[in-house]
Amino acid sequence: EARRRARARGLHNHPNRQRVFALYRRAQRRIGFRRGSTQTVREHAAAHPELSEFAAVVEVAAYRPEPPSEGLAEAAREWLERLRRR
């Protein structure tokens, strides 16, 4: 299990992945609704449509073997800047 945990952690160590995840956490705080522990990103976006654009970026960062591009991470940052605070 220790190896499995280390491997998974290594997959998410890429700077662009970490950046997208941090931006998603910030977006959740900004709208005032955190994702439930059993809720997928898509389910969370369905409940809070203001996150729908960001859901695809988060899924790329979380599930694709290759990390998101710098351009995709930057697009996520720009999207967050446009997200209104509640």
Side-chain angles (χ1 to χ4, degrees):
E1 184 176 352
R3 274 190 202 173
R4 183 175 169 194
R5 223 176 328 172
R7 185 174 62 225
R9 200 175 310 125
L11 177 68
H12 290 121
N13 276 344
H14 191 278
N16 288 341
R17 280 189 211 278
Q18 291 177 340
R19 188 172 173 198
V20 168
F21 295 148
L23 290 167
Y24 181 59
R25 287 189 298 271
R26 195 175 310 160
Q28 291 178 79
R29 285 192 304 271
R30 189 166 289 181
I31 67 165
F33 294 99
R34 303 257 325 163
R35 184 177 64 85
S37 61
T38 61
Q39 197 175 32
T40 67
V41 173
R42 288 279 176 195
E43 290 169 341
H44 191 228
H48 304 285
E50 60 269 42
L51 295 175
S52 61
E53 290 181 45
F54 209 168
V57 176
V58 173
E59 287 185 341
V60 166
Y63 302 119
R64 286 200 184 155
E66 65 277 354
S69 67
E70 179 68 32
L72 194 57
E74 182 60 24
R77 186 194 61 76
E78 291 170 0
W79 173 86
L80 180 64
E81 287 180 3
R82 294 190 307 271
L83 184 65
R84 287 186 342 190
R85 292 183 184 267
R86 288 199 171 196

